[in-house]
């Protein structure tokens, strides 16, 4: 694949709005050989990211392809590798075929050591003619700095790559990188030439492109942003004095640590101890089968003499066994306040020092108490207000137990990977927690103003980090009251603030900052951020409990949110399935899109405008994360004008045929398309598609008849038509104009299933703004949905049931306003129980058509 299949394009687009990043990676691969070959599409993404979309499509380049090999069979997997996840999908590519992949994932960037970091893996493993990276960043409070680092060709951390809080990293970005910045927005563009790629490696790029930046945040209460009834609160005060800490380092010195691991640990500890401030207190515990405490019964001040103590620095003699329980209880005893109350110890009172334990192990408990639940219970009872930070060194460590131990005791857990930079990993993690600024932070909001908020009580706030709370606002709230309580280096503080929501509305302020490109990439980001954060916390809560019933409830909530927002999470799956030809479903495999599901789904189609089925019109409203869906109840032999572009001279008509009524719905007329007619070049070209063939006429003369039972294509006058056997037909009418017609055939149809055609506008960017028609009218139209009451929406009594609980709204289309209902509906084309369905947020529109009032039913459906 690396050298046989050519990568034609590799495009990477990242939009960041207020730390929330959406990344899309696109790649097109061309099989130039005469045999079918496997192509693999791989993407590295951070462990915190959720995949939200994956699509794949075919572009046939050969005129006739008679091979019977089944293409489109694929497998995908998502695996964890170090601190990243790797997505991989493999597919058999027929000869002369191009296959395109597109993956989108979303994440909230975390602030660590005073900066946010974006990392994108560029690993095509061959020089690519068209490769690019575009990053747009919008931050409402301002961007203090941004830098693109040199390409990282190794996954190892280095001190050079980290920089410091005080000194920005002095380095130069890769050649051909352009960084543009104004006070609130930044844009990074990277387009390496073939030669620049070869300069890195003869086999092309194999590196990470890294961007670091930070934001201005002058208000000590942070920044609150509001959009569509949701809010997010970023809290990261600057300039606070560092609170001294009581820190216990608990280090595993069992036999498995022998060699490189213990050497790296000692190297990291030497650096960490030398970085302790003189106001800090510390102690050191090592454990294997027994526990050894450096200074019995107390922590000591981090003076130079104590840090350089020879016994402290030679406290790493290895012995067999791992007694985790005893080590934890010994650490807890050192942090017991009673041990610091006596003046005879020579220590200052610890009331304003932050107690914490840094616990490192590379294995599981083998000596003493070994039952995880008992160890967890003992630790929680003994540690009190101490924060425990767990480091699992290597793959043999019991990371699930260590993570739960940290979560239950005011801390976090990290993996330390066995590599040459393990000492740097240890030191880097310590740096994140070395400077506590506040402890026991509570961000409170009035109960009558907000609901469904994420965690708002935090044990610690460290220098260079950020606390984030998101939630939903109750209707009618004008001013949001926020209260902060916390402990600083001297006392307990309480601050109250009242924020006029008019100043916090995202869409009301940010377009004026000149950041439209980033904002267009993430519509309704606060809404999605709330879902992202809520799912994360539900999954953490599941880890943090052993109650099976509570775990089930948490999983159900996380699953429902994941499905609603199309996130691939630990409780959902990304599945791409080619329909089984033995099923009574249409045999379709083009332009597939994988979606999140708790059960394997059928295919869906990634298009912006489509009409299919009875006929069902679906208009994707990407900025609203909704679909506008409606049906038109025509009669047999009616012709529906789907699209007209007078500027391009394109007309698309659909002819209706009558279908049998379903049982129990005999009064409802069912019609489907049996013929699609497309006129192009202002009448010079006529394309007629039926269930048997595709006929092409030029100037009134038939020039080609393509049967649909075999693959074939024709190119004339800038037009390209490609038929895929029994499946679909692609029609390209110039740049930015591409239609897809699906042939729906059933091997074993039910009585109500009719073979029919479906029409999709796969690419309509090239259509003019004069385009109209049942589908065409939506191509370049801006639409907005506003939630209102039933009376405000203007529904007639005959149109709705007063007892229904569906939400009401107004759809704004240009200068027109239509009352709508917001709900989820489904349509099943099969009575079989295993026929899977897709829930899509849809609207119901009520409007006047041709002088008579008709109800356009908006239904979501799958084929």
């Amino acid at each position: 694949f690396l050298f046989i299949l050519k990568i034609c394009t590799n495009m990477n687009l990242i939009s960041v709005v207020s730390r929330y990043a959406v990344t899309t990676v696109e790649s097109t691969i061309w099989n130039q050989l005469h045999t079918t070959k496997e192509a693999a599409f791989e993407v590295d993404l951070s462990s915190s990211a959720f995949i939200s979309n994956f699509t794949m499509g075919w572009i046939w380049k050969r005129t006739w392809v008679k091979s019977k090999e089944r293409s489109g069979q694929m497998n995908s997997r998502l695996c964890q590798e170090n601190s990243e996840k790797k997505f991989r999908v493999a597919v058999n590519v027929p000869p002369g075929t191009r296959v395109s992949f597109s993956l989108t994932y979303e994440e909230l960037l975390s602030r660590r050591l005073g900066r946010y970091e974006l990392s994108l893996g560029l690993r095509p493993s061959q020089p690519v003619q068209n490769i690019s990276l575009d990053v747009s960043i919008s931050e409402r409070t301002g961007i203090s700095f941004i830098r693109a680092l040199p390409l990282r060709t190794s996954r190892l951390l280095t001190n050079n790559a980290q920089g410091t809080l005080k000194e920005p990293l002095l380095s130069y970005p890769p050649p051909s990188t352009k960084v543009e910045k104004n006070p609130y927005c930044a844009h990074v563009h990277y387009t390496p030439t073939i030669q620049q790629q070869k300069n890195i490696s003869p086999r092309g790029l194999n590196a990470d492109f890294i961007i670091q930046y930070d934001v201005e945040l002058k208000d000590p209460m942070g920044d609150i942003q509001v959009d569509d009834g949701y809010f997010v609160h970023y809290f990261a005060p600057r300039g606070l004095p560092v609170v001294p800490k009581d820190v216990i380092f608990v280090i595993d010195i069992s036999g498995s640590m022998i060699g490189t691991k213990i050497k790296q640990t000692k190297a990291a500890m030497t650096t960490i101890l030398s970085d302790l401030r003189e106001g800090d207190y510390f102690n050191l515990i090592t454990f294997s089968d027994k526990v050894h405490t450096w200074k019995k019964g107390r922590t000591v001040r981090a003076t130079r003499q104590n840090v350089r103590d020879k016994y402290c620095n030679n406290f790493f003699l290895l012995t067999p066994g791992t007694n985790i329980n005893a080590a934890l209880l010994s650490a807890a005893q050192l942090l017991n306040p009673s041990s610091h109350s006596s003046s005879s110890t020579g220590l200052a009172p610890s009331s304003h020092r932050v107690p914490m334990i840094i616990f490192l192990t590379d294995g599981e408990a083998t000596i003493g108490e070994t039952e995880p639940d008992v160890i967890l219970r003992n630790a929680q009872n003994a540690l009190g207000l101490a924060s425990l930070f767990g480091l699992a060194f290597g793959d043999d460590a019991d990371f699930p137990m260590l993570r739960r131990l940290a979560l239950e005791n005011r801390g976090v857990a990290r993996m330390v990977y066995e590599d040459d930079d393990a000492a740097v990993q240890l030191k880097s993690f310590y740096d994140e927690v070395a400077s506590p600024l506040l402890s026991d932070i509570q961000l409170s909001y009035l109960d009558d103003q907000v609901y469904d908020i994420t965690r708002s009580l935090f044990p610690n706030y460290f220098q260079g980090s950020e606390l984030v709370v998101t939630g939903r606002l109750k209707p009618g709230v004008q001013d949001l009251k926020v209260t902060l309580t916390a402990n600083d280096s001297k006392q307990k503080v309480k601050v109250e603030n009242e924020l006029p929501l008019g100043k916090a509305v995202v869409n009301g302020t940010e377009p004026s900052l000149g950041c439209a490109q980033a904002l267009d990439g993430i519509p309704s980001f606060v809404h999605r951020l709330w879902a992202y954060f809520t799912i994360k916390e539900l999954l953490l809560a599941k880890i943090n409990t052993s109650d099976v019933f509570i775990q089930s409830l948490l999983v159900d909530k996380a699953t429902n949110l994941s499905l609603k927002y199309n996130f691939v999470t630990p409780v959902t799956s990304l599945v791409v399935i080619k329909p089984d030809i033995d099923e009574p479903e249409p045999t379709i495999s083009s332009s597939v899109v994988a979606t999140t599901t708790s059960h394997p789904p059928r295919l869906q189609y990634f298009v912006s405008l489509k009409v299919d089925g009875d006929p069902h019109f679906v208009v994707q409203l990407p900025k609203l994360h909704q679909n506008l869906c409606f049906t038109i109840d025509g009669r047999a032999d009616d012709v529906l004008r789907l699209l007209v572009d007078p500027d391009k001279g394109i007309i698309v008509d659909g002819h209706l045929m009558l279908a049998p009524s379903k049982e129990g719905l005999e009064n409802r007329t069912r019609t489907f398309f049996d013929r699609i007619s497309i006129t192009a070049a202002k009448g010079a070209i006529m394309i007629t598609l039926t269930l048997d063939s595709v006929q092409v006429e030029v100037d009134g003369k038939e020039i080609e008849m393509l049967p649909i039972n075999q693959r074939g294509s024709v190119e004339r006058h800038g037009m390209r038509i490609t038929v895929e056997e029994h499946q679909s037909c692609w029609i390209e009418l110039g740049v930015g104009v591409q239609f897809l017609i699906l042939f729906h055939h059933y091997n074993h149809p039910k009585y109500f299933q009719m073979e029919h055609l479906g029409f999709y506008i796969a690419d309509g960017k090239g259509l003019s703004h004069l385009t109209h028609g049942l589908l065409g009218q939506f191509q370049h139209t801006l639409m907005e949905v506003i939630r209102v009451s039933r009376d405000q929406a203007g529904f007639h009594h005959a149109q709705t049931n007063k007892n229904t609980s569906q939400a009401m709204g107004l759809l704004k289309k240009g200068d027109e306003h239509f009352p709508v209902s917001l709900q989820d509906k489904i349509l099943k084309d099969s009575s079989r129980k295993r026929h899977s369905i897709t829930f899509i947020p849809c609207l119901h529109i009520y409007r006047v058509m041709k002088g008579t009032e008709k109800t356009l039913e908006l239904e979501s459906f799958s084929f």
Side-chain angles (χ1 to χ4, degrees):
F1 160 65
L2 297 180
F3 294 101
I4 296 176
L5 299 190
K6 180 181 179 181
I7 299 179
C8 304
T9 60
N10 183 273
M11 295 183 291
N12 305 271
L13 179 65
I14 304 177
S15 295
V16 183
V17 176
S18 297
R19 296 72 141 173
Y20 193 70
V22 174
T23 302
T24 299
V25 180
E26 298 179 347
S27 185
T28 301
I29 300 171
W30 182 15
N31 181 7
Q32 305 175 72
L33 299 182
H34 297 288
T35 59
T36 295
K37 291 290 180 181
E38 183 183 81
F41 174 67
E42 293 186 352
V43 177
D44 295 331
L45 50 156
S46 74
S47 59
S48 63
F50 287 160
I51 292 174
S52 55
N53 191 41
F54 172 67
T55 66
M56 190 190 78
W58 304 96
I59 306 173
W60 298 96
K61 305 301 290 184
R62 293 283 296 272
T63 302
W64 292 100
V65 182
K66 297 184 179 180
S67 169
K68 296 297 183 180
E69 294 180 81
R70 292 182 64 183
S71 62
Q73 295 176 343
M74 67 195 75
N75 63 81
S76 63
R77 62 188 176 95
L78 191 64
C79 60
Q80 187 80 25
E81 190 172 288
N82 287 3
S83 59
E84 294 181 337
K85 290 183 288 191
K86 184 182 290 289
F87 171 83
R88 185 181 191 274
V89 62
V91 60
N92 292 328
V93 182
T97 304
R98 297 190 186 202
V99 58
S100 59
F101 302 95
S102 178
L103 181 76
T104 299
Y105 58 90
E106 306 180 25
E107 62 184 313
L108 178 68
L109 302 180
S110 297
R111 187 169 184 260
R112 294 175 179 170
L113 301 175
R115 59 178 175 262
Y116 306 93
E117 183 171 291
L118 270 170
S119 177
L120 184 73
L122 300 175
R123 293 181 172 81
S125 298
Q126 62 175 270
V128 179
Q129 184 67 44
N130 298 310
I131 186 169
S132 63
L133 169 65
D134 276 287
V135 182
S136 299
I137 301 174
S138 168
E139 293 290 348
R140 195 175 67 163
T141 60
I143 299 174
S144 60
F145 76 85
I146 184 169
R147 56 188 174 230
L149 306 187
L151 289 177
R152 186 174 68 188
T153 55
S154 169
R155 296 301 175 89
L156 302 182
L157 297 176
T158 64
N159 289 321
N160 239 3
Q162 296 301 304
T164 66
L165 287 172
K166 296 181 179 178
E167 295 294 333
L169 186 67
L170 297 177
S171 59
Y172 297 97
S176 81
T177 302
K178 295 181 180 179
V179 180
E180 301 172 343
K181 174 184 174 296
N182 69 31
Y184 301 98
C185 310
H187 182 241
V188 179
H189 188 61
Y190 176 55
T191 53
T193 64
I194 290 287
Q195 188 56 51
Q196 288 170 339
Q197 297 173 57
K198 290 181 177 179
N199 290 342
I200 297 170
S201 167
R203 299 179 65 178
L205 292 176
N206 184 14
D208 295 309
F209 192 99
I210 299 173
I211 296 171
Q212 295 177 344
Y213 78 96
D214 198 15
V215 300
E216 300 284 359
L217 200 58
K218 297 178 181 178
D219 189 336
M221 287 295 287
D223 176 40
I224 296 179
Q225 300 185 33
V226 174
D227 184 29
D228 193 28
Y230 294 80
F231 78 92
V232 58
H233 184 183
Y234 298 107
F235 180 77
R238 318 291 166 86
L240 299 177
V242 175
V243 180
K245 57 184 177 291
D246 265 324
V247 57
I248 312 295
F249 299 97
V250 184
I251 309 297
D252 185 345
I253 58 167
S254 58
S256 57
M257 288 283 290
I258 193 171
T260 302
K261 285 196 284 190
I262 196 64
K263 290 179 181 179
Q264 292 172 324
T265 301
K266 289 176 68 174
M269 285 302 304
T270 299
T271 306
I272 289 171
L273 292 174
S274 65
D275 283 352
L276 290 172
R277 297 177 176 85
E278 287 213 4
D280 295 332
Y281 285 71
F282 78 105
N283 206 332
L284 181 66
I285 291 176
T286 58
F287 70 98
S288 52
D289 60 332
K290 297 180 180 179
V291 177
H292 302 276
T293 304
W294 173 50
K295 295 291 185 181
K296 301 294 184 181
R298 60 194 176 104
T299 56
V300 299
R301 193 180 186 95
T303 62
R304 290 188 179 183
Q305 180 180 355
N306 285 331
V307 168
R308 293 176 180 174
D309 187 293
K310 289 185 178 180
Y311 185 49
C312 173
N313 284 281
N314 290 278
F315 203 57
F316 296 91
L317 301 177
L318 301 181
T319 55
T322 307
N323 196 334
I324 290 177
N325 185 70
L328 289 170
L329 296 180
S330 296
Q333 189 175 11
L334 292 176
L335 293 176
N336 190 315
S338 62
S339 65
H340 303 295
S341 60
S342 174
S343 59
S344 62
T345 63
L347 303 178
S350 63
S351 58
H352 294 296
R353 294 203 302 271
V354 175
M356 64 174 65
I357 295 170
I358 296 180
F359 187 92
L360 181 145
T361 181
D362 74 334
E364 301 177 345
T366 61
I367 300 292
E369 181 57 64
T370 59
E371 181 60 38
D373 285 341
V374 177
I375 295 174
L376 292 166
R377 185 167 59 250
N378 291 343
Q380 193 168 33
N381 291 336
L383 290 177
L385 296 178
S387 296
L388 186 144
F389 300 96
L391 292 168
F393 200 159
D395 295 333
D396 293 332
D398 188 355
F399 182 68
M401 194 276 283
L402 203 59
R403 178 173 56 182
R404 189 174 165 193
L405 181 67
L407 289 174
E408 291 181 0
N409 293 282
R410 302 162 56 93
V412 296
R414 294 271 180 85
M415 286 289 297
V416 177
Y417 299 97
E418 295 183 55
D419 220 326
D420 293 342
D421 67 339
V424 180
Q425 295 180 55
L426 291 169
K427 177 61 167 62
S428 178
F429 174 77
Y430 170 76
D431 288 344
E432 292 182 34
V433 300
S435 302
L437 304 181
L438 296 171
S439 62
D440 297 317
I441 306 101
Q442 173 76 61
L443 293 167
S444 303
Y445 314 86
L446 293 182
D447 290 340
D448 61 350
Q449 292 187 327
V450 302
Y451 64 106
D452 285 349
I453 64 171
T454 57
R455 182 174 66 147
S456 59
L457 175 62
F458 304 89
N460 297 292
Y461 166 65
F462 297 101
Q463 185 176 5
S465 67
E466 182 173 64
L467 307 180
V468 181
V469 181
T470 181
R472 306 177 68 174
L473 292 168
K474 293 185 177 179
V477 176
Q478 301 297 322
D479 302 298
L480 183 62
K481 186 175 181 180
V482 184
T483 302
L484 163 70
T485 58
N487 295 316
D488 64 11
S489 59
K490 297 180 179 179
Q491 60 188 351
K492 189 177 183 69
V493 297
K494 182 177 181 179
V495 181
E496 294 184 351
N497 191 20
E498 195 163 349
L499 174 71
L501 292 188
K503 296 181 180 180
V505 176
V506 173
N507 293 335
T509 58
E510 274 175 279
S512 64
L513 306 179
C515 307
Q517 187 171 358
L519 290 169
D520 287 343
I522 316 180
S524 304
F525 90 91
V526 181
H527 193 165
R528 295 188 69 77
L529 171 58
W530 170 81
Y532 170 93
F533 228 75
T534 301
I535 293 169
K536 290 278 186 183
E537 294 201 345
L538 288 169
L539 296 176
L540 284 177
K542 174 184 173 290
I543 294 172
N544 210 20
T545 181
S546 56
D547 188 301
V548 176
F549 178 72
I550 294 177
Q551 285 182 341
S552 177
L553 291 177
L554 293 170
V555 167
D556 286 345
K557 288 183 179 181
T559 301
N560 290 336
L561 272 180
S562 300
L563 292 174
K564 181 177 181 180
Y565 291 90
N566 212 47
F567 284 143
V568 181
T569 69
V571 293
T572 55
S573 301
L574 182 103
V575 183
V576 183
I577 300 176
K578 179 177 178 179
D580 193 332
I581 60 174
D582 294 326
E583 298 290 332
E585 313 290 342
T587 55
I588 302 163
S589 62
S590 297
S591 299
V592 301
V593 53
T595 62
T596 53
T597 176
S598 55
H599 305 286
R602 295 315 253 172
L603 291 177
Q604 299 177 69
Y605 299 89
F606 186 69
V607 291
S608 56
L609 299 168
K610 62 186 177 183
V611 55
D612 213 325
D614 187 15
H616 307 282
F617 292 76
V618 179
V619 181
Q620 292 184 349
L621 309 179
K623 291 189 177 182
L624 302 177
H625 290 281
Q626 292 175 319
N627 286 341
L628 170 66
C629 317
F630 59 92
T631 67
I632 291 182
D633 296 327
R635 295 170 297 180
D637 294 323
D638 278 356
V639 176
L640 303 184
R641 182 136 290 182
L642 307 179
L643 182 147
V644 180
D645 185 344
D647 185 57
K648 298 285 186 180
I650 299 173
I651 299 175
V652 181
D653 291 331
H655 178 271
L656 294 179
M657 63 176 176
L658 190 65
S661 298
K662 291 185 178 181
E663 293 180 4
L665 298 172
E666 287 77 9
N667 294 330
R668 179 177 176 181
T669 302
R670 299 177 69 238
T671 51
F672 295 85
F673 288 128
D674 64 347
R675 185 172 70 245
I676 302 288
S677 302
I678 301 175
T679 304
K682 299 188 176 180
I685 298 174
M686 171 67 78
I687 307 167
T688 305
L689 301 102
T690 66
L691 291 164
D692 301 313
S693 64
V694 179
Q695 179 179 331
V696 184
E697 298 180 8
V698 177
D699 294 328
K701 298 179 180 179
E702 180 181 317
I703 64 168
E704 196 73 50
M705 174 74 76
L706 301 176
I708 70 164
N709 61 356
Q710 56 188 3
R711 292 172 179 163
S713 66
V714 60
E715 293 188 38
R716 296 285 177 88
H717 307 285
M719 164 197 66
R720 176 183 297 157
I721 301 174
T722 305
V723 175
E724 298 177 11
E725 182 180 350
H726 285 301
Q727 296 176 355
S728 59
C729 178
W730 290 89
I731 299 176
E732 299 177 46
L733 301 176
V735 178
V737 180
Q738 186 179 54
F739 302 143
L740 170 65
I741 291 82
L742 300 180
F743 305 116
H744 293 288
H745 294 280
Y746 300 91
N747 291 334
H748 307 287
K750 300 293 182 182
Y751 74 93
F752 55 81
Q753 289 177 320
M754 295 284 293
E755 295 185 349
H756 62 279
L757 304 176
F759 176 76
Y760 296 68
I761 302 177
D763 187 358
K765 294 190 293 294
L767 296 170
S768 75
H769 287 271
L770 299 176
T771 301
H772 57 278
L774 286 170
L775 275 183
Q777 64 180 314
F778 300 105
Q779 183 61 49
H780 299 292
T781 301
L782 296 177
M783 288 182 282
E784 179 184 6
V785 176
I786 302 173
R787 189 180 295 266
V788 297
S789 67
R790 184 184 306 277
D791 294 335
Q792 290 174 312
F795 284 92
H796 297 301
H797 293 293
Q799 293 172 327
T800 61
N801 181 353
K802 286 188 175 182
N803 296 323
T804 183
S805 60
Q806 64 187 19
M808 301 300 171
L810 284 176
L811 173 69
K812 291 186 177 181
K813 177 180 176 289
D815 296 329
E816 299 178 279
H817 293 67
F818 304 111
V820 301
S821 66
L822 310 176
Q823 60 179 289
D824 292 344
K825 292 188 70 177
I826 60 172
L827 176 69
K828 297 184 180 180
D829 279 339
S830 170
S831 60
R832 300 177 57 187
K833 292 182 179 179
R834 61 188 297 267
H835 179 83
S836 48
I837 54 180
T838 303
F839 293 88
I840 307 174
C842 289
L843 313 171
H844 275 204
I845 293 185
Y846 302 84
R847 59 174 297 184
V848 175
M849 296 183 59
K850 297 180 181 179
T852 61
E853 188 174 274
K854 296 187 67 175
T855 299
L856 305 188
E857 298 180 356
L858 290 86
E859 302 174 302
S860 63
F861 59 95
S862 62
F863 300 117

